[in-house]
Amino acid sequence: MGTHLSPLDAAFLELEEADESAHMHIGWAMIFDPLPSGEPPSLERLREQTRQRLEAVPRFRRRLSSPRVGRLSLPTWVPDPDFDVGELFRRATLPAPGGEEELMDWLGDFFSHRLDRSRPLWETTLLEGLEGGRWALVTKAHHCLIDGISGAEVAAVLLDAEPEPGEGATTLAEIVAPAEEEGSEEGALSRLRGAVGGGIDTAVHPRKALAVLSQGRALVETLVRDELLPAPHTSLNGPIGATRRLASVEVPLEEVKRAKRELGGTVNDVVLTATAGGLRRLFAERGESVDSIRAMVPVSLRSAGESLALGNKVSSLFVDLLVAEPDPVLRFHKISAEAQKLKTGNAAAGADAIVRLAGLAPPLVQSVVARLSFTPRLFNITITNVPASPVTLYALGAPLRRVVPLVPIFSGHAVGVAVVSYDGTMSFGLNADRDSVPDLEAMRAGIEETLAALTHVSA
């Protein structure tokens, strides 16, 4: 028996169906030092290692039973009888000289292409030719398969906690296995009762299906209207194309932590303030007057025992970021106060209620919920911050030195920001529509400037 997608997972399929420019995969590039031997990485060895370790992560060896969400049914994850790691694990070479510009151009093109829904919804490329003999493992996985938290952990399936693991040592992949098993049967049945029960009922009563659809649309629209004021309109919210442009910023994590201790907020407040600084610089260079923008900030609903379970278990906070404030420190304090108020209040009730509606409604309502939950009317930009390993990880004995994360951009949203903290470094990954954001460098520079200002205060 296959495991049904949850309504939230299915919503990401619906978002792709609604707009051909929307690619609902998350992703990451893991960049490694040269191998100890000095030889190029072995594609066949990586494929074989991945093949063995995916035994502990069954979802990655499955495909959708149907490429689309049905009117009265959700797809299930079913075993792929033709599963072949070789087809999902490829090799590419970065154009010379293999520097930052070439890397970002290659990543932009890689993440501009959708995953094939007739196969398992992930793929990895071994990317060679980086400066200094470095190489990368670049992965994209559909958002219906994993969210940011589970994605960071599942990425570790390809990695080791030490350069040369001893025989019989527990692999990171084996740590993932209990969470997969935990959510496979009972969790699936629970989701089935909540998500598809209405669908089974309305299949018998077609008129009731229309009534539920009408009521669902009305409820969602009421929540959007009453719980959240419309987000301001900016040049970053309009039609987008299918191609992407990427940029990255890195800062020592200890500097960020020192800044938040000195200023009295959180690490995430630093992330939001830096992003607001990047947007301020971008809008200024465009000659655009913007007082504030609203960020959708995903919040994990996972318990400690669910951190590795696949699928999506998130809600959202909608945080207004004061872009017009020129002083980074004052901007930090205002954003920190806004975020704290949201965490302790009921400002996210509308978003939570929409998610709950998705869990109770039949699949017929999913397209309505999906489109209204991610409209530019609700927010201007997505900013997600995910912690990864605090210590160095390895692949084939080579240390992982850098991670470039990616969050998808939704229809009507030209920029998304993903942040990951790994081994003492915080990395910002900026994902933008290539055509409407040719000036992404301005945003990258503004983030760097803000981080320098905040960390200088604490020095």
Side-chain angles (χ1 to χ4, degrees):
M1 175 180 175
T3 302
H4 281 81
L5 272 71
S6 73
L8 181 56
D9 295 341
F12 291 112
L13 296 178
E14 288 289 299
L15 288 166
E16 278 193 334
E17 291 299 316
D19 188 342
E20 63 181 14
S21 68
H23 312 318
M24 288 296 105
H25 48 252
I26 65 174
W28 53 87
M30 301 187 294
I31 301 169
F32 298 84
D33 275 351
L35 298 178
S37 65
E39 296 294 320
S42 167
L43 180 62
E44 288 308 316
R45 184 179 172 189
L46 283 168
R47 283 173 170 170
E48 181 57 31
Q49 176 178 279
T50 303
R51 184 178 294 109
Q52 294 175 1
R53 295 186 178 185
L54 286 183
E55 293 295 323
V57 194
R59 182 84 65 89
F60 270 53
R61 293 183 286 111
R62 297 174 181 173
R63 60 174 176 80
L64 294 174
S65 60
S66 171
R68 298 182 179 182
V69 177
R71 289 177 60 83
L72 297 174
S73 63
L74 295 174
T76 59
W77 293 108
V78 297
D80 182 2
D82 302 316
F83 177 75
D84 182 1
V85 167
E87 294 184 359
L88 302 172
F89 212 121
R90 306 181 181 91
R91 184 198 299 270
T93 301
L94 198 64
E100 187 72 3
E101 182 178 352
E102 289 78 21
L103 176 61
M104 291 300 142
D105 283 347
W106 189 93
L107 292 176
D109 179 71
F110 178 77
F111 290 121
S112 294
H113 301 279
R114 288 187 174 186
L115 292 158
D116 182 351
R117 291 192 186 180
S118 68
R119 303 161 66 176
L121 290 179
W122 66 275
E123 63 180 63
T124 293
T125 294
L126 165 60
L127 182 62
E128 300 178 344
L130 280 70
E131 282 183 331
R134 289 190 170 191
W135 53 282
L137 293 175
V138 187
T139 299
K140 56 185 169 186
H142 202 283
H143 215 334
C144 73
L145 178 66
I146 55 177
D147 61 24
I149 296 293
S150 59
E153 302 291 356
V154 171
V157 168
L158 300 173
L159 307 175
D160 298 306
E162 49 191 345
E164 297 181 8
E167 184 175 350
T170 300
T171 66
L172 295 175
E174 290 171 329
I175 298 174
V176 176
E180 267 282 84
E181 296 168 357
E182 189 177 282
S184 59
E185 295 297 336
E186 183 177 351
L189 292 175
S190 174
R191 287 196 302 273
L192 185 61
R193 285 194 295 269
V196 187
I200 296 172
D201 186 26
T202 55
V204 181
H205 303 285
R207 291 181 182 177
K208 186 175 181 180
L210 297 177
V212 171
L213 177 60
S214 176
Q215 293 166 9
R217 180 186 291 111
L219 179 54
V220 172
E221 290 176 344
T222 298
L223 289 168
V224 171
R225 183 180 64 250
D226 293 346
E227 297 292 344
L228 290 169
L229 294 175
H233 178 73
T234 77
S235 60
L236 296 179
N237 300 112
I240 62 173
T243 56
R244 302 290 177 257
R245 182 186 305 273
L246 269 66
S248 179
V249 177
E250 296 183 337
V251 62
L253 181 59
E254 182 52 39
E255 290 187 8
V256 174
K257 290 182 176 180
R258 190 168 61 244
K260 69 99 175 177
R261 288 194 298 266
E262 180 71 22
L263 296 171
T266 68
V267 166
N268 209 50
D269 294 336
V270 176
V271 168
L272 296 178
T273 303
T275 303
L279 292 168
R280 174 181 170 80
R281 171 81 176 263
L282 178 68
F283 291 137
E285 294 199 3
R286 291 185 173 192
E288 184 176 356
S289 178
V290 177
D291 290 333
S292 67
I293 62 100
R294 180 174 298 147
M296 180 184 74
V297 182
V299 177
S300 177
L301 300 180
R302 295 171 181 272
S303 64
E306 297 175 317
S307 62
L308 299 178
L310 301 184
N312 287 269
K313 293 193 175 184
V314 296
S315 184
S316 301
L317 288 178
F318 294 96
V319 185
D320 290 328
L321 308 182
L322 192 60
V323 175
E325 173 55 61
D327 185 329
V329 175
L330 289 179
R331 190 189 316 135
F332 173 89
H333 287 305
K334 292 176 181 179
I335 288 174
S336 179
E338 170 74 6
Q340 183 61 30
K341 181 175 68 174
L342 291 174
K343 292 173 188 175
T344 57
N346 297 316
D352 289 339
I354 290 174
V355 173
R356 289 196 299 272
L357 172 64
L360 296 173
L364 183 64
V365 182
Q366 293 307 306
S367 61
V368 178
V369 176
R371 296 185 194 191
L372 289 176
S373 297
F374 297 94
T375 173
R377 182 182 174 188
L378 279 181
F379 62 95
N380 304 103
I381 187 172
T382 302
I383 306 174
T384 179
N385 180 18
V386 177
S389 172
V391 298
T392 305
L393 300 177
Y394 303 83
L396 304 183
L400 171 61
R401 293 305 187 195
R402 178 185 179 191
V403 179
V404 180
L406 176 130
V407 66
I409 52 177
F410 302 99
S411 177
H413 298 81
V415 177
V417 178
V419 180
V420 64
S421 299
Y422 164 72
D423 195 19
T425 299
M426 173 175 280
S427 300
F428 288 68
L430 314 183
N431 181 25
D433 174 46
R434 188 169 190 84
D435 295 330
S436 62
V437 194
D439 47 358
L440 186 62
E441 170 61 23
M443 182 173 175
R444 189 200 66 77
I447 291 175
E448 278 192 337
E449 291 171 355
T450 305
L451 289 170
L454 295 178
T455 55
H456 177 74
V457 169
S458 61

